[in-house]
Amino acid sequence: MPDTTGEAIDKICTIEAKNRGMPINVLAPMYAAARKLVGDRPITMVAAEKLRENVGQGDSVLVLTGAGYAPQMPFGESDGPPGAAAIARALYRGLGAVPVYVVEECHAGPVVASSHALGLMVKEHFEDAKDKRLGSTIVYAPRNQTDVQKWAKDLLDKYQPKALISAERIGPGKDGILHSATGIPFYDPSSPSATGIIDISAVVTEATKRGILTIGIGDHGNEIGFGAIHDTVVKTMPRGEFLGTTTACDIVLPVMMSNWGCYGIEAALAYLLKKPEIIHTPAQEERMLRQCLDAGGLEAMMCTTDFLVDGLDGETSMAVMQILGNIVRKNLEVPTTGVAH
């Protein structure tokens, strides 16, 4: 039954609905490649199983997100922060974990707003989140790239995470440069004067060295995690040889939008724990998206505060939550044919 439920969840999260000016017909081959890495099983369910196996009461989980920069999106976008908040809340309420958001400071506003909209408080001090069970905490990346390597090691030393989840967080290509979904270079971290846009993929590579479970969620192959299927990204994505990140995760989940991938794992975890109440509702989704937008997390296609995520109406994401909730609840119900069959 877990795989039956997982198949349905994966199908919802991997529906491709894009403007035809963007890369299209790319999700299916990337998903197929990622699925092979987990034994040809539903990826959301495998991710949820691994989280349940590795994370317990009081354990820290790093949650990385943040994409989009000035001048188009100075505080990031509406895809990423809501997903990060949803999966952090599920880990907190489902497993008793302590979520630690890891972001650049410019992306903090939408992340905090999204988390608060779901009732998961973000505390300034880690001790309040861990010892007093008051929610999550947030950590900011250094402002200079030269400081990242040491910071990444110190971060893992301090929080001793049992898992790391990266959602809509861009990773470097084979040339070390961060690229957009259409292959436009954001930033070259090797530049000695580079500041303002920081590559934090060192946190993931260091976590991998230490044997910490890593999960990467994205929609175009330039996000952290897709290094695990780099060859497929190169073959599938226009300009994939440039934008395809080399940063791999243990599990990579290609989806229509990163938020939906997080929601899918949230739903799979709710099923495994038999706690459908940890799935956020369509009404909560609306509240979260609007507060994310109000905090500056702009819609990435048109860079506006319109009620959209990656070009799709906010109501579409609300409908996704309705469907995911129904999938989980129906699969947890006592089997019945009803009264008319």
Side-chain angles (χ1 to χ4, degrees), residues 68-70 74 104-107 142-145 169 187 193-199:
Y69 297 95
E104 290 169 80
E105 196 165 355
C106 63
H107 295 137
R143 292 178 180 269
N144 293 291
Q145 191 64 43
R169 181 71 214 186
Y187 158 71
S193 61
T195 58
I197 299 176
I198 302 298
D199 171 14

Side-chain angles (χ1 to χ4, degrees), residues 29-335:
M30 290 195 292
Y31 172 80
R35 186 177 169 118
K36 287 180 181 178
L37 300 180
V38 294
D40 197 28
R41 293 185 57 215
I43 302 173
T44 55
M45 192 58 68
V46 173
E49 288 172 353
K50 293 297 183 182
L51 287 168
R52 184 179 63 170
E53 290 171 11
N54 285 274
V55 180
Q57 182 77 33
D59 288 337
S60 300
V61 178
L62 302 187
V63 182
L64 284 59
T65 193
Y69 297 95
Q72 295 93 341
M73 293 179 286
F75 305 109
E77 58 173 289
S78 57
D79 187 25
I87 203 162
R89 175 181 176 271
L91 291 166
Y92 173 75
R93 295 197 175 185
L95 297 175
V98 184
V100 180
Y101 296 113
V102 182
V103 299
E104 290 169 80
E105 196 165 355
C106 63
H107 295 137
V111 172
V112 173
S114 297
S115 194
H116 285 178
L118 286 188
L120 179 63
M121 298 298 100
V122 181
K123 297 300 179 182
E124 180 180 358
H125 301 295
F126 175 64
E127 293 73 22
D128 289 336
K130 181 175 173 62
D131 299 337
K132 298 180 181 179
R133 294 287 297 131
L134 292 176
S136 62
T137 191
I138 192 165
V139 177
Y140 302 129
R143 292 178 180 269
N144 293 291
Q145 191 64 43
T146 53
D147 298 328
V148 169
Q149 200 69 43
K150 181 180 184 302
W151 165 78
K153 293 178 180 179
D154 291 345
L155 183 73
L156 295 173
D157 287 344
K158 177 177 180 178
Y159 294 104
Q160 296 292 309
K162 298 299 183 180
L164 179 154
I165 301 170
S166 178
E168 192 67 9
R169 181 71 214 186
I170 297 170
K174 63 181 181 181
D175 55 5
I177 297 175
L178 307 179
H179 293 85
S180 74
T182 54
I184 299 171
F186 274 135
Y187 158 71
D188 180 355
S190 67
S191 172
S193 61
T195 58
I197 299 176
I198 302 298
D199 171 14
I200 63 172
S201 61
V203 179
V204 182
T205 53
E206 184 64 28
T208 298
K209 290 178 183 177
R210 300 186 186 200
I212 298 167
L213 171 67
T214 58
I215 300 170
I217 303 163
D219 47 35
H220 283 101
N222 58 331
E223 300 92 353
I224 284 174
F226 280 75
I229 55 168
H230 182 262
D231 289 347
T232 301
V233 174
V234 171
K235 293 176 184 176
T236 302
M237 283 292 296
R239 296 180 61 80
E241 68 273 23
F242 299 105
L243 67 86
T245 183
T246 56
T247 304
C249 285
D250 298 321
I251 299 170
V252 57
L253 177 57
V255 284
M256 168 58 205
M257 66 176 69
S258 294
N259 287 349
W260 292 5
C262 294
Y263 303 164
I265 298 174
E266 171 192 12
L269 191 61
Y271 171 80
L272 289 175
L273 298 174
K274 296 182 171 55
K275 293 182 177 180
E277 65 274 11
I278 70 174
I279 303 173
H280 71 282
T281 66
Q284 289 173 310
E285 174 70 4
E286 178 178 19
R287 178 184 179 189
M288 177 167 59
L289 288 182
R290 292 194 184 281
Q291 292 196 20
C292 176
L293 289 160
D294 287 345
L298 304 182
E299 189 276 323
M301 287 291 293
M302 304 309 294
C303 301
T304 74
T305 56
D306 289 342
F307 189 49
L308 303 164
V309 186
D310 281 1
L312 296 183
D313 298 337
E315 289 86 354
T316 308
S317 290
M318 294 169 63
V320 163
M321 293 316 306
Q322 185 70 47
I323 296 170
L324 289 176
N326 278 326
I327 288 170
V328 171
R329 282 186 284 273
K330 290 300 172 184
N331 279 283
L332 288 176
E333 285 178 359
V334 176

